[in-house]
Amino acid sequence: MAFHRRRNHYHNRFRSILPVICTISGALLILFALLSFLAPTPIASNNPQHMNSLYARNSVVEDTIGESVLHIPKKGRTDRDIWSSRNSKYYYGCSNASIKFANADAVTQPNRYLLIVTSGGLNQQRTGITDAVVAARILNATLVVPRLDQKSFWKDSSDFSEIFDVDWYISSLSKDVKIIKSLPKRGGKTWIPRSMRVPRKCSERCYQNRILPVLLKRHAIQLTKFDYRVANRLDTQLQKLRCRVNYHALKFTDSILQMGGKLVHRMRMKSKHFIALHLRFEPDMLAFSGCYYGGGDKERKELGAIRKRWKTLHVSNPDKERRHGKCPLTPREVGLMLRALGYSNDVHIYVASGEVYGGEETLAPLKALFPNFYTKETLASKEELEPFSSFSSRMAALDFIVCDESEVFVTNNNGNMARILAGRRRYFGHKPTIRPNAKKLYRLFLNQTTMSWEAFASKMRTYQRGFMGEPKEVRPGRGEFHENPHTCICEDSEAKAKKDSGPRKYGKGYDAVGDDVLGEDEPELSDPGDDGYQNGPQEKDQFNGTGMDYDGITNEEPELEEILSD
């Protein structure tokens, strides 16, 4: 009986506290559900692509978080001049012909005419125009003014004389190569030249063995898709001829120069110094790179549709591409890089870019870091740009002028405009040209919120050594000659010797970006092969790694080089 009474007692007691237990359990379940709903998903917190999303809604939040953690100072570095190279005054462009380089009148053979048709956008065509002069000299032929590509992806109907000063081009090179505006008639009839295509990176011997026999037989030949069709390694005098063409003979028309000059003047009126940024964050560029920026299915669908233009473009691994430094930085990452290198938020930036993927949302973080943000469209009226706006090459020429005149030029890819400008800025005084060391910066951006701003900036400066456009940053012979015209850059040995014998201005431990460093982080430029051939303009080392010959792509398919040109 006692046992039964005890059991009933405990049973009644349990029944009395059961509602309390249920109430507490229910409250805990509700609280747990609420916390689960509000907590970030594992993807949002761990996925680097999501963290680096290009969309402003995500980026602005991250920028806010980043600034609160990194405490980005508004002012830049004051311990050194970040607007020029310390050693640039010891180097200068030198491309005059040797007295042993025979005059064009003495070597040009009669009844030899060379015509070329360029390929791609403005800067890709510029390489063809430059190399056409060299090819004509090798063949001892008269060059007909090059015909520009009017059928490619860019669909620009401009001819040579509408972009470049054709009379200056002909006269300034008169001692090197005979150039005429059109092919003469033959027997009173229009002369139709033999059309052919020269192999990529064709050496002097290649031209003499493959092209010259046809020229001797037909007397007039037309080389199509003429870009990067001359070897990277040539005789010194031919390399200097390349420089005379590229840096002296190719001058824009007066109308383009005047409008470009207005844009530069308006930037100078706003600030003594300015940065020009070739952002290259257009949809076609991102599609070609195969990279992913955190935009979900919408981004994959949109960029995937663009990628279908290239039937030969392989499917890439976005994470691998980013780890290997083959993805363009987002506008936000470019802004953080520049701030870490010492450029303050009051610096004026000119952005050369087409349609940015994501529009204003994508640009918002960059504009927050650098509010003084300009483009040719914001500096000039529609009426002023009207003569140029319907022609992609003329618009690209305006950007080219402003980027060339800027104190600091920043490129976000290694396409044709970046290469041409890098070489030109080396030739004319080694003005700072910054190219992101994307392979190293990938990890730095991934871990940016785990370190102080001082640590972040210090690592940034370390990683960017060798990527700032300093003299001797790239070994002679590395990369495209248009990017690294080492044969045409001379050293003032006497002035440098005086400098080296003088007292050191900076101590041994001085941490500065831009010292002459040829270490393991030397820019990864493509190397020409021993036979003078290389994959070069295919951007193999920078983006897709396919190494394909784009000559095999059909006319309906935009060429990869064309997308990368400007």
Side-chain angles (χ1 to χ4, degrees):
M1 286 293 291
F3 172 76
H4 287 296
R5 282 198 299 274
R6 243 186 341 265
R7 188 175 65 178
N8 289 335
H9 171 73
Y10 288 127
H11 180 70
N12 292 334
R13 187 175 180 183
F14 178 74
R15 289 179 62 186
S16 65
I17 64 174
L18 184 61
V20 177
I21 294 174
C22 290
T23 301
I24 294 173
S25 299
L28 289 173
L29 285 171
I30 293 171
L31 180 61
F32 178 76
L34 186 62
L35 289 173
S36 299
F37 178 76
L38 294 176
T41 64
I43 292 177
S45 58
N46 297 325
N47 189 337
Q49 271 74 34
H50 181 90
M51 293 173 68
N52 286 309
S53 172
L54 63 90
Y55 300 101
R57 188 170 292 126
N58 293 333
S59 298
V60 169
V61 171
E62 182 150 330
D63 277 350
T64 304
I65 294 173
E67 290 196 29
S68 65
V69 173
L70 296 174
H71 302 293
I72 303 176
K74 289 188 176 182
K75 292 190 176 181
R77 296 185 70 181
T78 57
D79 58 342
R80 73 182 299 264
D81 182 7
I82 57 177
W83 295 104
S84 63
S85 162
R86 285 194 293 127
N87 297 315
S88 62
K89 57 181 172 290
Y90 306 117
Y91 300 88
Y92 59 94
C94 52
S95 60
N96 290 338
S98 164
I99 57 173
K100 296 180 180 179
F101 194 68
N103 192 285
D105 292 335
V107 298
T108 304
Q109 299 298 311
N111 291 323
R112 289 190 196 179
Y113 295 97
L114 177 65
L115 298 84
I116 69 121
V117 181
T118 59
S119 177
L122 173 67
N123 296 289
Q124 185 174 334
Q125 293 187 94
R126 190 182 186 107
T127 66
I129 295 168
T130 298
D131 287 348
V133 176
V134 176
R137 178 74 189 203
I138 293 172
L139 297 169
N140 292 329
T142 296
L143 176 67
V144 179
V145 169
R147 204 175 89 213
L148 302 189
D149 182 359
Q150 299 175 338
K151 299 179 180 178
S152 70
F153 175 84
W154 303 103
K155 292 181 171 56
D156 188 319
S157 61
S158 303
D159 61 30
F160 189 99
S161 62
E162 290 174 308
I163 297 178
F164 300 106
D165 186 333
V166 65
D167 293 325
W168 172 258
Y169 177 71
I170 293 172
S171 63
S172 64
L173 294 170
S174 61
K175 293 182 179 180
D176 300 311
V177 171
K178 183 179 179 181
I179 305 175
I180 58 177
K181 292 184 179 180
S182 61
L183 189 65
K185 291 185 181 294
R186 192 179 193 185
K189 297 180 181 179
T190 301
W191 194 347
I192 302 193
R194 166 71 182 275
S195 186
M196 59 187 299
R197 188 174 298 178
V198 68
R200 286 193 179 280
K201 301 299 171 187
C202 194
S203 64
E204 293 174 67
R205 187 171 61 180
C206 168
Y207 273 93
Q208 290 162 356
N209 292 342
R210 295 194 181 199
I211 309 302
L212 185 57
V214 182
L215 181 59
L216 292 175
K217 182 179 179 180
R218 302 297 293 266
H219 303 295
I221 58 172
Q222 176 174 273
L223 304 180
T224 60
K225 286 191 172 295
F226 197 83
D227 60 316
Y228 296 95
R229 305 286 167 173
V230 175
N232 208 52
R233 293 175 179 170
L234 293 173
D235 172 81
T236 296
Q237 290 305 313
L238 292 178
Q239 296 287 51
K240 287 183 177 290
L241 174 57
R242 262 178 166 163
C243 295
R244 290 198 294 278
V245 180
N246 198 2
Y247 306 133
H248 299 285
L250 271 182
K251 188 171 72 171
F252 291 121
T253 60
D254 287 343
S255 59
I256 291 176
L257 287 175
Q258 288 169 7
M259 188 66 240
K262 286 182 181 179
L263 297 176
V264 172
H265 176 70
R266 289 168 189 176
M267 287 299 298
R268 294 254 184 266
M269 292 293 289
K270 298 177 184 298
S271 178
K272 180 181 178 181
H273 304 295
F274 72 91
I275 295 173
L277 167 61
H278 189 215
L279 191 55
R280 210 59 181 97
F281 210 72
E282 295 89 347
D284 53 17
M285 183 65 185
L286 303 189
F288 171 66
S289 71
C291 301
Y292 174 67
Y293 291 90
D297 291 338
K298 180 177 181 292
E299 179 186 329
R300 292 189 182 94
K301 183 178 179 180
E302 291 174 346
L303 299 186
I306 298 174
R307 284 176 64 81
K308 291 178 181 177
R309 295 176 183 170
W310 303 287
K311 298 173 184 177
T312 50
L313 191 60
H314 71 296
V315 177
S316 60
N317 182 328
D319 291 332
K320 182 180 178 181
E321 298 297 303
R322 185 175 284 273
R323 286 196 307 273
H324 290 180
K326 296 177 181 178
C327 294
L329 301 188
T330 66
R332 172 186 166 274
E333 289 169 340
V334 172
L336 286 175
M337 176 188 73
L338 291 174
R339 292 291 294 274
L341 290 175
Y343 298 97
S344 58
N345 76 328
D346 60 353
V347 165
H348 289 65
I349 288 188
Y350 176 91
V351 176
S353 176
E355 173 198 359
V356 173
Y357 184 63
E360 284 300 316
E361 286 185 309
T362 303
L363 290 172
L366 175 59
K367 289 183 175 181
L369 290 165
F370 291 96
N372 299 308
F373 181 102
Y374 305 94
T375 64
K376 55 184 172 294
E377 288 80 11
T378 62
L379 290 172
S381 65
K382 287 185 178 180
E383 291 73 22
E384 287 177 307
L385 293 177
E386 195 275 331
F388 314 94
S389 57
S390 298
F391 305 93
S392 60
S393 290
R394 300 182 207 183
M395 292 290 274
L398 298 179
D399 280 336
F400 187 96
I401 291 170
V402 182
C403 291
D404 185 36
E405 290 293 328
S406 65
E407 279 70 32
V408 174
F409 173 59
V410 182
T411 174
N412 196 22
N413 82 315
N414 201 33
N416 291 297
M417 179 172 174
R419 289 172 177 164
I420 292 288
L421 275 169
R424 184 178 177 85
R425 291 170 69 87
R426 283 187 173 105
Y427 183 84
F428 288 110
H430 281 88
K431 292 189 290 186
T433 301
I434 301 173
R435 183 161 66 89
N437 183 358
K439 185 184 289 188
K440 289 289 184 72
L441 298 191
Y442 160 71
R443 287 291 174 189
L444 182 59
F445 285 124
L446 193 62
N447 300 316
Q448 63 181 297
T449 56
T450 64
M451 63 184 76
S452 67
W453 172 254
E454 290 73 19
F456 177 82
S458 177
K459 286 183 177 293
M460 179 67 73
R461 293 193 295 272
T462 299
Y463 293 160
Q464 280 300 122
R465 284 177 179 163
F467 291 77
M468 303 293 290
E470 290 281 337
K472 294 188 176 181
E473 208 171 59
V474 182
R475 290 182 177 89
R478 289 293 305 274
E480 292 291 339
F481 185 79
H482 301 293
E483 180 178 11
N484 182 27
H486 57 94
T487 310
C488 302
I489 296 175
C490 296
E491 182 177 349
D492 187 341
S493 303
E494 185 177 337
K496 196 169 190 297
K498 290 180 180 179
K499 173 253 185 183
D500 292 339
S501 63
R504 291 179 62 88
K505 182 177 179 181
Y506 302 101
K508 184 178 179 181
Y510 179 68
D511 179 21
V513 174
D515 290 340
D516 292 347
V517 178
L518 286 173
E520 59 177 327
D521 286 336
E522 183 183 353
E524 296 180 5
L525 306 180
S526 52
D527 274 318
D530 293 336
D531 60 354
Y533 291 83
Q534 76 180 89
N535 289 317
Q538 298 157 353
E539 306 290 340
K540 176 180 176 181
D541 60 327
Q542 299 297 327
F543 290 103
N544 70 330
T546 61
M548 66 183 72
D549 184 354
Y550 301 128
D551 289 342
I553 297 177
T554 61
N555 291 333
E556 291 77 19
E557 188 179 343
E559 295 209 20
L560 303 178
E561 301 163 336
E562 295 168 7
I563 299 303
L564 294 171
S565 291
D566 297 310

